[in-house]
Amino acid sequence: DFRELMRLAARGDASAIDKSVGDIYGAAGCTDLGMPHDLTAASFAKLSGADGELPAPASAPDLVAATLRMVAQVSTVIAIAHAKQIGCMDRVFFVGGFLQNNDLAQSLITTSMLSLGGRAIFCRHAPFLGALGSLAASLQAERERHEPPTPTEAEERWKQVRYANRTRKHHRNPFSPEGAPSPEERLPCYELDDDLLLIAALD
């Protein structure tokens, strides 16, 4: 049950499962590197003990908390990569049923975005917007399956990033050089009053 998992995650401690930068470099080392000590270095790394010795069994709340943090941080990294390319780090919208009434996930994404210099924005009707994005991506992928773009066309599309919310036109991010879209490239972007924004759908 999803709600029960979220309740477990709220009670868990991801730091008991994940290895942080502070675990590797210590407080002084993190200061010298200019990195936060609680920045995740490796998810689930503490599940493998030193010298092949297994650590004490992890608790269910800690495992769920670590899994949730990994999903939030990976989603953030992918969104940031796209936001940097189109220049909208200060307005990245996260949508999808996963985020509906999920304060813990929203908090993790917000913290991760801030640590990377971005700003996360969440929508009231996140599941509906996520469904629209999934439908649009599926229809676009079906069209591309029959008429895949050439590498030249893909490069030209990326140079002409023009997304129009006003005219209700929808475009997916540019295609890979091979002509087939990768999962990371299916984040729709829009332009509203000449300002670019990125919408990341988490379903």
Side-chain angles (χ1 to χ4, degrees):
D1 179 76
F2 180 75
R3 293 181 180 177
E4 178 58 26
L5 287 174
M6 291 302 101
R7 282 193 287 268
L8 282 174
R11 301 202 316 263
D13 179 13
S15 64
I17 305 295
D18 299 338
K19 183 170 289 187
S20 69
V21 174
D23 292 326
I24 299 174
Y25 297 105
C30 290
T31 301
D32 294 338
L33 292 170
M35 302 174 68
H37 70 89
D38 57 349
L39 182 67
T40 303
S43 297
F44 303 102
K46 291 182 179 178
L47 292 181
S48 58
D51 301 325
E53 297 180 1
L54 293 177
S59 69
D62 290 348
L63 287 171
V64 177
T67 302
L68 179 61
R69 182 160 76 171
M70 179 183 68
V71 171
Q73 291 179 340
V74 169
S75 301
T76 299
V77 169
I78 294 173
I80 282 288
H82 286 273
K84 282 184 176 179
Q85 292 200 36
I86 63 176
C88 63
M89 289 281 289
D90 62 334
R91 47 195 178 280
V92 179
F93 286 73
F94 287 83
V95 301
F98 172 70
L99 297 172
Q100 183 73 4
N101 299 322
N102 193 341
D103 295 338
L104 187 55
Q106 291 185 21
S107 176
L108 287 169
I109 290 174
T110 298
T111 302
S112 298
M113 286 290 292
L114 288 173
S115 68
L116 295 173
R119 182 169 68 103
I121 302 173
F122 302 97
C123 301
R124 180 179 300 173
H125 302 292
F128 175 70
L129 295 172
L132 283 182
S134 297
L135 176 61
S138 297
L139 293 175
Q140 185 70 25
E142 183 63 20
R143 286 194 294 269
E144 292 156 8
R145 189 171 67 85
H146 296 290
E147 298 180 7
T150 64
T152 302
E153 290 173 341
E155 293 172 4
E156 188 61 27
R157 253 183 225 193
W158 183 239
K159 293 177 183 177
Q160 299 176 355
V161 180
R162 297 292 184 271
Y163 301 99
N165 216 8
R166 307 185 279 276
T167 56
R168 297 176 181 268
K169 291 181 181 178
H170 176 274
H171 300 273
R172 197 175 53 72
N173 272 17
F175 301 96
S176 62
E178 296 76 19
S182 65
E184 292 81 5
E185 291 174 327
R186 294 184 180 176
L187 297 179
C189 301
Y190 301 88
E191 182 181 330
L192 182 61
D193 296 331
D194 299 323
D195 287 329
L196 285 170
L197 57 89
L198 178 71
I199 297 183
L202 302 181
D203 283 303

